[in-house]
Amino acid sequence: MAWRGCFMKCAKINNIPAQFLCPKSSRLTIHPQQRCGFRKAQRQSEKKRGLREETDAGEAEGQKHAVPPLPGKPPRKPDRLFRPLVFTVGAVPTPFQFTGCSFGTAAILQYESVKSRVQMAMEEAKEKRDKLREGHNTTYWHNWWNQLSHFQKQVILVMSVVDDWWSGLSEGQKTVTGIVALNTLILCCWRIPSMQRSLVKYFTSNPASKTRCLPMVLSSFSHYSIIHMLANMYVLWTFSTSIVSLLGREQFLALYLSGGVISTFISYVFKTATGLLGPSLGASGAIMTVLAAVCTKIPEAKLGIVLLPMINFTAGNALKALLALDTAGLLLGWRFFDHAAHLGGALFGVWYIVYGNQMIWRKREPLVKFWHELRNKPTSRPRPGGGGGQV
Protein backbone atom coordinates (compact mmCIF):
# COMPACT_ATOMS: atom_id res chain seq x y z
CA MET A 1 0.00 0.00 0.00
CA ALA A 2 2.98 2.29 -0.14
CA TRP A 3 1.91 3.15 -3.67
CA ARG A 4 -0.55 5.55 -2.11
CA GLY A 5 2.29 7.94 -1.44
CA CYS A 6 2.79 8.44 -5.18
CA PHE A 7 -0.69 9.84 -5.54
CA MET A 8 -0.90 11.82 -2.30
CA LYS A 9 1.21 14.65 -3.74
CA CYS A 10 -1.00 15.02 -6.82
CA ALA A 11 -4.56 14.52 -5.55
CA LYS A 12 -6.74 15.92 -2.80
CA ILE A 13 -8.16 12.71 -1.50
CA ASN A 14 -10.89 13.14 1.05
CA ASN A 15 -10.95 16.67 2.40
CA ILE A 16 -11.11 19.44 -0.21
CA PRO A 17 -11.87 23.10 0.24
CA ALA A 18 -15.16 24.38 -1.14
CA GLN A 19 -13.46 26.78 -3.56
CA PHE A 20 -11.81 23.89 -5.42
CA LEU A 21 -15.05 22.03 -6.02
CA CYS A 22 -15.61 24.11 -9.16
CA PRO A 23 -12.96 25.40 -11.61
CA LYS A 24 -12.50 29.12 -11.96
CA SER A 25 -13.38 29.01 -15.64
CA SER A 26 -16.80 27.52 -14.89
CA ARG A 27 -19.85 29.70 -15.26
CA LEU A 28 -21.20 28.50 -11.93
CA THR A 29 -19.34 29.83 -8.90
CA ILE A 30 -19.95 27.64 -5.84
CA HIS A 31 -20.03 29.97 -2.87
CA PRO A 32 -19.63 28.64 0.67
CA GLN A 33 -23.32 29.01 1.55
CA GLN A 34 -25.08 27.29 -1.31
CA ARG A 35 -27.07 24.88 0.83
CA CYS A 36 -23.91 23.39 2.23
CA GLY A 37 -23.62 25.11 5.59
CA PHE A 38 -21.01 27.77 4.78
CA ARG A 39 -21.01 31.56 4.82
CA LYS A 40 -21.91 33.16 1.50
CA ALA A 41 -19.43 35.61 0.03
CA GLN A 42 -20.88 39.13 -0.21
CA ARG A 43 -20.37 41.44 -3.11
CA GLN A 44 -18.31 44.57 -2.71
CA SER A 45 -21.35 46.85 -2.97
CA GLU A 46 -23.19 44.82 -0.33
CA LYS A 47 -20.22 45.09 2.04
CA LYS A 48 -20.00 48.88 1.61
CA ARG A 49 -23.74 49.26 2.11
CA GLY A 50 -23.63 47.07 5.23
CA LEU A 51 -20.73 49.04 6.69
CA ARG A 52 -22.46 52.35 5.94
CA GLU A 53 -25.69 51.23 7.64
CA GLU A 54 -23.86 49.95 10.71
CA THR A 55 -21.81 53.16 10.89
CA ASP A 56 -24.95 55.29 10.84
CA ALA A 57 -26.54 53.10 13.49
CA GLY A 58 -23.41 53.28 15.66
CA GLU A 59 -23.29 57.06 15.48
CA ALA A 60 -26.97 57.26 16.39
CA GLU A 61 -26.48 55.09 19.48
CA GLY A 62 -23.19 56.66 20.54
CA GLN A 63 -21.08 53.63 19.63
CA LYS A 64 -17.44 54.03 18.59
CA HIS A 65 -16.92 51.08 16.27
CA ALA A 66 -18.19 50.93 12.71
CA VAL A 67 -16.78 47.59 11.52
CA PRO A 68 -18.51 44.43 12.76
CA PRO A 69 -16.38 41.91 14.66
CA LEU A 70 -14.80 39.14 12.64
CA PRO A 71 -16.45 35.74 13.05
CA GLY A 72 -14.47 33.06 14.83
CA LYS A 73 -14.66 29.29 14.45
CA PRO A 74 -18.02 27.77 13.54
CA PRO A 75 -20.09 26.96 16.63
CA ARG A 76 -19.99 23.37 17.78
CA LYS A 77 -23.46 21.84 17.72
CA PRO A 78 -23.41 18.22 18.95
CA ASP A 79 -27.15 17.95 18.32
CA ARG A 80 -26.35 17.89 14.60
CA LEU A 81 -24.95 14.38 15.11
CA PHE A 82 -28.19 12.84 16.41
CA ARG A 83 -29.81 12.15 13.06
CA PRO A 84 -26.57 10.83 11.47
CA LEU A 85 -26.12 8.56 14.51
CA VAL A 86 -29.61 7.10 14.15
CA PHE A 87 -29.09 6.79 10.41
CA THR A 88 -25.79 4.94 10.88
CA VAL A 89 -26.29 2.58 13.84
CA GLY A 90 -29.73 3.08 15.36
CA ALA A 91 -30.81 1.19 18.43
CA VAL A 92 -33.30 -0.92 16.44
CA PRO A 93 -33.38 -1.95 12.77
CA THR A 94 -35.60 0.70 11.22
CA PRO A 95 -35.78 2.10 7.69
CA PHE A 96 -33.64 4.99 8.97
CA GLN A 97 -30.83 2.70 10.09
CA PHE A 98 -28.63 2.20 7.07
CA THR A 99 -26.23 -0.41 8.45
CA GLY A 100 -28.90 -2.86 9.61
CA CYS A 101 -30.93 -2.43 6.43
CA SER A 102 -27.91 -2.97 4.21
CA PHE A 103 -27.04 -6.32 5.82
CA GLY A 104 -30.71 -7.36 5.91
CA THR A 105 -31.10 -6.55 2.23
CA ALA A 106 -27.86 -8.44 1.49
CA ALA A 107 -29.22 -11.55 3.24
CA ILE A 108 -32.42 -11.42 1.16
CA LEU A 109 -30.48 -10.84 -2.06
CA GLN A 110 -28.27 -13.82 -1.28
CA TYR A 111 -31.37 -15.98 -0.82
CA GLU A 112 -32.80 -14.81 -4.14
CA SER A 113 -29.44 -15.27 -5.89
CA VAL A 114 -29.05 -18.86 -4.71
CA LYS A 115 -32.62 -19.66 -5.71
CA SER A 116 -32.20 -18.17 -9.18
CA ARG A 117 -28.94 -20.04 -9.73
CA VAL A 118 -30.58 -23.34 -8.89
CA GLN A 119 -33.44 -22.64 -11.30
CA MET A 120 -31.02 -21.53 -14.01
CA ALA A 121 -28.93 -24.70 -13.60
CA MET A 122 -32.05 -26.84 -13.97
CA GLU A 123 -33.12 -24.96 -17.11
CA GLU A 124 -29.65 -25.26 -18.67
CA ALA A 125 -29.60 -29.00 -18.01
CA LYS A 126 -33.00 -29.32 -19.66
CA GLU A 127 -31.88 -27.33 -22.72
CA LYS A 128 -28.79 -29.53 -23.10
CA ARG A 129 -30.95 -32.65 -23.06
CA ASP A 130 -33.25 -31.17 -25.71
CA LYS A 131 -30.31 -30.24 -27.94
CA LEU A 132 -28.87 -33.72 -27.70
CA ARG A 133 -32.18 -35.20 -28.71
CA GLU A 134 -32.83 -32.85 -31.64
CA GLY A 135 -29.20 -32.53 -32.83
CA HIS A 136 -27.42 -29.42 -34.07
CA ASN A 137 -28.69 -27.85 -37.27
CA THR A 138 -25.44 -26.25 -38.49
CA THR A 139 -26.83 -25.51 -41.94
CA TYR A 140 -29.47 -23.18 -40.51
CA TRP A 141 -26.94 -21.12 -38.53
CA HIS A 142 -24.53 -20.99 -41.49
CA ASN A 143 -27.22 -19.55 -43.74
CA TRP A 144 -28.29 -17.13 -41.02
CA TRP A 145 -24.72 -15.80 -40.68
CA ASN A 146 -24.37 -15.30 -44.43
CA GLN A 147 -27.54 -13.24 -44.54
CA LEU A 148 -26.18 -10.67 -42.07
CA SER A 149 -24.59 -7.42 -43.21
CA HIS A 150 -20.97 -6.53 -42.55
CA PHE A 151 -21.92 -4.09 -39.77
CA GLN A 152 -24.10 -6.68 -38.01
CA LYS A 153 -21.29 -9.21 -38.12
CA GLN A 154 -18.86 -6.70 -36.59
CA VAL A 155 -21.32 -5.92 -33.79
CA ILE A 156 -21.73 -9.62 -33.02
CA LEU A 157 -17.95 -10.09 -32.97
CA VAL A 158 -17.46 -7.15 -30.59
CA MET A 159 -20.20 -8.49 -28.31
CA SER A 160 -18.49 -11.86 -28.36
CA VAL A 161 -15.16 -10.32 -27.32
CA VAL A 162 -16.84 -8.37 -24.50
CA ASP A 163 -18.61 -11.53 -23.35
CA ASP A 164 -15.32 -13.45 -23.30
CA TRP A 165 -13.68 -10.63 -21.30
CA TRP A 166 -16.59 -10.54 -18.85
CA SER A 167 -16.53 -14.32 -18.43
CA GLY A 168 -12.82 -14.16 -17.63
CA LEU A 169 -13.35 -11.83 -14.66
CA SER A 170 -13.68 -13.12 -11.14
CA GLU A 171 -16.88 -12.69 -9.14
CA GLY A 172 -15.29 -9.88 -7.16
CA GLN A 173 -14.12 -8.02 -10.24
CA LYS A 174 -17.59 -8.29 -11.78
CA THR A 175 -19.08 -6.81 -8.61
CA VAL A 176 -16.57 -3.96 -8.43
CA THR A 177 -17.14 -3.12 -12.11
CA GLY A 178 -20.54 -1.65 -11.21
CA ILE A 179 -18.98 0.46 -8.44
CA VAL A 180 -16.28 1.74 -10.81
CA ALA A 181 -18.90 2.63 -13.42
CA LEU A 182 -20.98 4.56 -10.88
CA ASN A 183 -17.94 6.49 -9.62
CA THR A 184 -16.98 7.34 -13.19
CA LEU A 185 -20.48 8.65 -13.89
CA ILE A 186 -20.38 10.94 -10.83
CA LEU A 187 -16.90 12.15 -11.81
CA CYS A 188 -18.26 13.17 -15.22
CA CYS A 189 -21.20 14.94 -13.58
CA TRP A 190 -18.77 17.14 -11.62
CA ARG A 191 -17.66 18.59 -14.98
CA ILE A 192 -21.17 19.85 -15.74
CA PRO A 193 -21.56 23.34 -14.18
CA SER A 194 -25.35 23.13 -13.91
CA MET A 195 -25.12 20.01 -11.73
CA GLN A 196 -22.49 21.21 -9.26
CA ARG A 197 -24.96 22.79 -6.84
CA SER A 198 -26.77 19.47 -6.39
CA LEU A 199 -23.49 17.55 -6.22
CA VAL A 200 -22.18 19.80 -3.45
CA LYS A 201 -25.40 19.31 -1.51
CA TYR A 202 -25.86 15.55 -1.89
CA PHE A 203 -22.46 14.13 -2.87
CA THR A 204 -20.20 15.88 -0.34
CA SER A 205 -20.45 15.09 3.37
CA ASN A 206 -20.35 18.01 5.79
CA PRO A 207 -21.72 18.12 9.36
CA ALA A 208 -22.51 21.85 8.89
CA SER A 209 -24.83 21.13 5.97
CA LYS A 210 -28.60 20.92 6.33
CA THR A 211 -28.55 17.63 4.40
CA ARG A 212 -26.37 15.29 6.44
CA CYS A 213 -27.72 11.72 6.19
CA LEU A 214 -28.03 11.04 2.46
CA PRO A 215 -24.54 12.44 1.63
CA MET A 216 -23.08 9.87 4.03
CA VAL A 217 -23.89 7.25 1.38
CA LEU A 218 -23.56 9.23 -1.84
CA SER A 219 -20.23 10.85 -0.99
CA SER A 220 -18.62 7.38 -1.07
CA PHE A 221 -19.26 7.31 -4.83
CA SER A 222 -18.14 10.89 -5.50
CA HIS A 223 -14.70 12.00 -6.69
CA TYR A 224 -13.69 15.37 -8.06
CA SER A 225 -10.10 14.50 -8.95
CA ILE A 226 -9.40 11.92 -11.64
CA ILE A 227 -6.21 10.76 -9.92
CA HIS A 228 -8.13 10.39 -6.66
CA MET A 229 -10.71 8.13 -8.29
CA LEU A 230 -8.12 6.07 -10.17
CA ALA A 231 -6.13 5.45 -6.98
CA ASN A 232 -9.19 4.38 -4.98
CA MET A 233 -10.63 2.20 -7.72
CA TYR A 234 -7.28 0.50 -8.30
CA VAL A 235 -7.08 -0.53 -4.64
CA LEU A 236 -10.69 -1.72 -4.69
CA TRP A 237 -10.12 -3.70 -7.89
CA THR A 238 -6.96 -5.29 -6.44
CA PHE A 239 -8.65 -6.56 -3.28
CA SER A 240 -12.06 -7.31 -4.80
CA THR A 241 -11.30 -10.96 -5.64
CA SER A 242 -10.07 -11.74 -2.14
CA ILE A 243 -12.85 -10.02 -0.21
CA VAL A 244 -15.68 -11.42 -2.36
CA SER A 245 -14.26 -14.93 -2.16
CA LEU A 246 -14.15 -14.59 1.63
CA LEU A 247 -17.50 -12.94 2.26
CA GLY A 248 -19.57 -13.38 -0.88
CA ARG A 249 -20.92 -10.71 -3.20
CA GLU A 250 -23.92 -9.64 -1.11
CA GLN A 251 -22.06 -9.46 2.20
CA PHE A 252 -19.23 -7.52 0.52
CA LEU A 253 -21.65 -4.90 -0.81
CA ALA A 254 -23.24 -4.53 2.63
CA LEU A 255 -19.80 -4.16 4.24
CA TYR A 256 -18.68 -1.64 1.61
CA LEU A 257 -21.75 0.58 1.96
CA SER A 258 -21.78 0.35 5.76
CA GLY A 259 -18.07 1.16 5.89
CA GLY A 260 -18.64 4.31 3.85
CA VAL A 261 -21.45 5.48 6.14
CA ILE A 262 -19.65 4.66 9.40
CA SER A 263 -16.39 6.28 8.28
CA THR A 264 -18.32 9.43 7.33
CA PHE A 265 -20.01 9.50 10.73
CA ILE A 266 -16.61 9.28 12.47
CA SER A 267 -15.51 12.20 10.31
CA TYR A 268 -18.65 14.10 11.41
CA VAL A 269 -17.78 13.52 15.06
CA PHE A 270 -14.19 14.68 14.64
CA LYS A 271 -15.12 17.79 12.66
CA THR A 272 -17.83 18.75 15.15
CA ALA A 273 -15.50 18.22 18.13
CA THR A 274 -12.68 20.29 16.63
CA GLY A 275 -14.85 22.88 14.88
CA LEU A 276 -12.93 22.34 11.62
CA LEU A 277 -16.00 21.97 9.44
CA GLY A 278 -15.63 21.34 5.74
CA PRO A 279 -16.82 19.11 2.91
CA SER A 280 -15.37 15.68 2.23
CA LEU A 281 -15.90 13.20 -0.58
CA GLY A 282 -14.38 10.00 -1.89
CA ALA A 283 -14.53 6.24 -1.41
CA SER A 284 -11.43 6.07 0.80
CA GLY A 285 -13.38 5.31 3.98
CA ALA A 286 -15.26 2.38 2.42
CA ILE A 287 -12.09 1.11 0.72
CA MET A 288 -10.20 1.25 4.02
CA THR A 289 -12.96 -0.97 5.47
CA VAL A 290 -12.44 -3.53 2.70
CA LEU A 291 -8.65 -3.32 2.97
CA ALA A 292 -8.70 -3.76 6.75
CA ALA A 293 -11.10 -6.69 6.47
CA VAL A 294 -8.81 -8.51 4.03
CA CYS A 295 -5.68 -7.77 6.06
CA THR A 296 -7.37 -8.97 9.25
CA LYS A 297 -8.73 -12.14 7.64
CA ILE A 298 -5.46 -13.01 5.84
CA PRO A 299 -2.70 -11.24 7.82
CA GLU A 300 0.08 -13.44 6.38
CA ALA A 301 -0.72 -12.55 2.75
CA LYS A 302 2.15 -10.94 0.83
CA LEU A 303 1.64 -7.46 -0.59
CA GLY A 304 3.87 -5.28 -2.71
CA ILE A 305 4.29 -1.79 -4.13
CA VAL A 306 3.25 -1.18 -7.72
CA LEU A 307 6.35 0.78 -8.74
CA LEU A 308 8.70 -1.22 -6.48
CA PRO A 309 7.85 -4.91 -6.96
CA MET A 310 11.01 -6.02 -5.18
CA ILE A 311 9.65 -4.76 -1.82
CA ASN A 312 7.24 -7.17 -0.13
CA PHE A 313 5.50 -7.06 3.23
CA THR A 314 2.67 -8.88 4.95
CA ALA A 315 -0.92 -7.65 5.00
CA GLY A 316 -0.88 -7.44 8.78
CA ASN A 317 2.10 -5.09 8.81
CA ALA A 318 0.53 -2.97 6.06
CA LEU A 319 -2.63 -2.57 8.14
CA LYS A 320 -0.63 -1.55 11.21
CA ALA A 321 1.28 1.03 9.17
CA LEU A 322 -1.92 2.54 7.77
CA LEU A 323 -3.52 2.73 11.21
CA ALA A 324 -0.40 4.40 12.62
CA LEU A 325 -0.31 6.90 9.75
CA ASP A 326 -3.95 7.92 10.13
CA THR A 327 -3.65 8.11 13.91
CA ALA A 328 -0.62 10.41 13.59
CA GLY A 329 -2.45 12.57 11.07
CA LEU A 330 -5.43 12.81 13.41
CA LEU A 331 -3.33 13.80 16.44
CA LEU A 332 -1.04 16.18 14.57
CA GLY A 333 -3.88 17.91 12.76
CA TRP A 334 -2.90 17.09 9.19
CA ARG A 335 -5.49 18.54 6.83
CA PHE A 336 -4.49 16.96 3.52
CA PHE A 337 -6.63 13.85 4.08
CA ASP A 338 -9.72 13.06 6.13
CA HIS A 339 -7.78 10.86 8.54
CA ALA A 340 -10.79 10.44 10.82
CA ALA A 341 -12.76 8.81 8.00
CA HIS A 342 -9.81 6.57 7.08
CA LEU A 343 -9.30 5.48 10.66
CA GLY A 344 -13.00 4.91 11.26
CA GLY A 345 -13.35 2.79 8.13
CA ALA A 346 -10.29 0.69 8.97
CA LEU A 347 -11.40 0.06 12.56
CA PHE A 348 -14.86 -0.95 11.38
CA GLY A 349 -13.32 -3.45 8.94
CA VAL A 350 -11.24 -5.00 11.72
CA TRP A 351 -14.23 -5.11 14.08
CA TYR A 352 -16.46 -6.77 11.50
CA ILE A 353 -14.04 -9.61 10.79
CA VAL A 354 -13.34 -10.23 14.48
CA TYR A 355 -16.83 -9.75 15.95
CA GLY A 356 -19.32 -8.34 13.44
CA ASN A 357 -19.58 -11.35 11.14
CA GLN A 358 -20.57 -13.54 14.09
CA MET A 359 -22.96 -10.94 15.53
CA ILE A 360 -24.68 -9.83 12.31
CA TRP A 361 -24.28 -12.08 9.29
CA ARG A 362 -24.41 -15.49 10.97
CA LYS A 363 -27.65 -14.53 12.71
CA ARG A 364 -29.52 -13.78 9.51
CA GLU A 365 -31.40 -17.09 9.49
CA PRO A 366 -34.62 -15.76 11.13
CA LEU A 367 -34.83 -12.94 8.57
CA VAL A 368 -34.23 -15.30 5.63
CA LYS A 369 -36.79 -17.74 7.00
CA PHE A 370 -39.34 -14.96 7.37
CA TRP A 371 -38.68 -13.80 3.80
CA HIS A 372 -39.00 -17.38 2.51
CA GLU A 373 -42.37 -17.83 4.19
CA LEU A 374 -43.55 -14.41 3.02
CA ARG A 375 -42.46 -15.06 -0.56
CA ASN A 376 -43.95 -18.54 -0.78
CA LYS A 377 -47.15 -17.67 1.05
CA PRO A 378 -50.09 -18.81 -1.11
CA THR A 379 -52.42 -16.04 -2.17
CA SER A 380 -56.14 -16.80 -1.96
CA ARG A 381 -57.95 -15.58 -5.05
CA PRO A 382 -61.71 -15.81 -5.63
CA ARG A 383 -62.83 -18.23 -8.30
CA PRO A 384 -63.84 -16.64 -11.61
CA GLY A 385 -67.62 -16.21 -11.81
CA GLY A 386 -68.15 -17.14 -8.19
CA GLY A 387 -68.47 -15.30 -4.93
CA GLY A 388 -65.73 -14.61 -2.48
CA GLY A 389 -67.15 -16.91 0.20
CA GLN A 390 -66.08 -20.45 0.98
CA VAL A 391 -68.24 -23.50 0.59
Side-chain angles (χ1 to χ4, degrees):
M1 283 303 297
W3 63 269
R4 293 168 62 93
C6 299
F7 298 101
M8 291 178 180
K9 299 180 181 179
C10 303
K12 295 182 180 299
I13 300 298
N14 252 349
N15 200 339
I16 63 175
Q19 60 266 27
F20 293 112
L21 290 177
C22 179
K24 294 182 179 180
S25 60
S26 175
R27 295 182 180 178
L28 174 63
T29 302
I30 300 181
H31 293 291
Q33 181 67 30
Q34 291 180 349
R35 300 182 181 180
C36 202
F38 298 96
R39 293 183 57 84
K40 184 176 181 180
Q42 295 180 345
R43 298 180 179 178
Q44 189 69 20
S45 59
E46 294 178 356
K47 292 181 179 180
K48 293 180 179 179
R49 185 169 60 252
L51 293 177
R52 188 182 303 110
E53 292 175 356
E54 293 190 5
T55 303
D56 297 339
E59 292 176 355
E61 297 179 6
Q63 297 179 357
K64 295 183 180 180
H65 68 277
V67 180
L70 295 175
K73 289 185 178 181
R76 302 176 185 178
K77 296 181 179 180
D79 57 323
R80 289 178 174 268
L81 299 176
F82 177 73
R83 290 178 61 186
L85 176 62
V86 175
F87 179 78
T88 305
V89 283
V92 293
T94 63
F96 301 100
Q97 182 193 349
F98 183 83
T99 304
C101 290
S102 61
F103 281 98
T105 304
I108 295 174
L109 290 177
Q110 187 185 59
Y111 165 83
E112 295 292 340
S113 177
V114 172
K115 189 173 182 178
S116 63
R117 288 178 182 177
V118 172
Q119 294 177 352
M120 188 178 299
M122 295 175 63
E123 292 177 357
E124 289 179 355
K126 185 178 179 180
E127 290 178 358
K128 289 181 180 179
R129 289 196 302 265
D130 296 340
K131 289 181 179 180
L132 290 176
R133 291 176 182 177
E134 297 177 358
H136 297 282
N137 191 358
T138 57
T139 305
Y140 170 78
W141 292 109
H142 181 73
N143 295 333
W144 173 80
W145 177 261
N146 291 332
Q147 292 176 359
L148 296 177
S149 63
H150 178 72
F151 176 75
Q152 291 175 337
K153 291 180 181 179
Q154 293 298 323
V155 172
I156 293 176
L157 291 176
V158 171
M159 293 177 61
S160 177
V161 172
V162 173
D163 183 70
D164 294 340
W165 171 79
W166 180 259
S167 302
L169 298 178
S170 64
E171 188 69 20
Q173 292 173 341
K174 292 180 181 179
T175 305
V176 169
T177 301
I179 299 177
V180 175
L182 183 57
N183 281 269
T184 305
L185 177 62
I186 302 301
L187 178 69
C188 295
C189 291
W190 273 108
R191 270 60 190 172
I192 304 176
S194 59
M195 298 186 63
Q196 290 180 350
R197 290 174 181 264
S198 300
L199 291 173
V200 170
K201 180 179 180 181
Y202 294 106
F203 286 84
T204 60
S205 59
N206 188 355
S209 175
K210 294 181 179 179
T211 307
R212 295 184 295 274
C213 294
L214 190 58
M216 298 174 71
V217 184
L218 299 181
S219 62
S220 298
F221 299 92
S222 176
H223 297 82
Y224 185 78
S225 171
I226 298 178
I227 299 179
H228 179 199
M229 193 200 74
L230 291 177
N232 283 339
M233 294 301 103
Y234 175 79
V235 178
L236 184 61
W237 182 273
T238 303
F239 288 89
S240 60
T241 302
S242 301
I243 190 65
V244 173
S245 62
L246 291 174
L247 303 179
R249 180 180 57 185
E250 294 80 13
Q251 188 180 184
F252 157 72
L253 290 175
L255 179 66
Y256 182 84
L257 295 174
S258 301
V261 172
I262 291 177
S263 62
T264 304
F265 177 74
I266 299 300
S267 176
Y268 278 5
V269 173
F270 176 76
K271 290 178 181 178
T272 304
T274 57
L276 301 176
L277 306 179
S280 299
L281 75 167
S284 301
I287 293 175
M288 285 294 293
T289 301
V290 174
L291 178 61
V294 174
C295 294
T296 304
K297 191 71 175 180
I298 318 175
E300 68 279 0
K302 294 294 183 180
L303 302 179
I305 304 175
V306 179
L307 301 178
L308 299 174
M310 70 289 300
I311 301 178
N312 295 322
F313 44 86
T314 62
N317 292 333
L319 178 59
K320 294 176 183 178
L322 291 175
L323 291 176
L325 177 64
D326 289 321
T327 303
L330 202 65
L331 297 177
L332 299 177
W334 297 345
R335 301 292 303 279
F336 194 73
F337 302 103
D338 194 344
H339 294 282
H342 289 187
L343 190 61
L347 292 179
F348 174 68
V350 174
W351 175 86
Y352 184 81
I353 295 299
V354 178
Y355 303 105
N357 183 267
Q358 182 72 26
M359 296 172 57
I360 301 176
W361 189 251
R362 294 187 181 181
K363 295 183 179 180
R364 69 188 187 280
E365 183 178 355
L367 176 62
V368 175
K369 185 177 180 180
F370 170 77
W371 177 257
H372 174 76
E373 295 175 353
L374 182 65
R375 195 177 188 278
N376 299 327
K377 184 178 180 180
T379 57
S380 58
R381 298 180 179 179
R383 297 178 180 178
Q390 299 179 355
V391 180

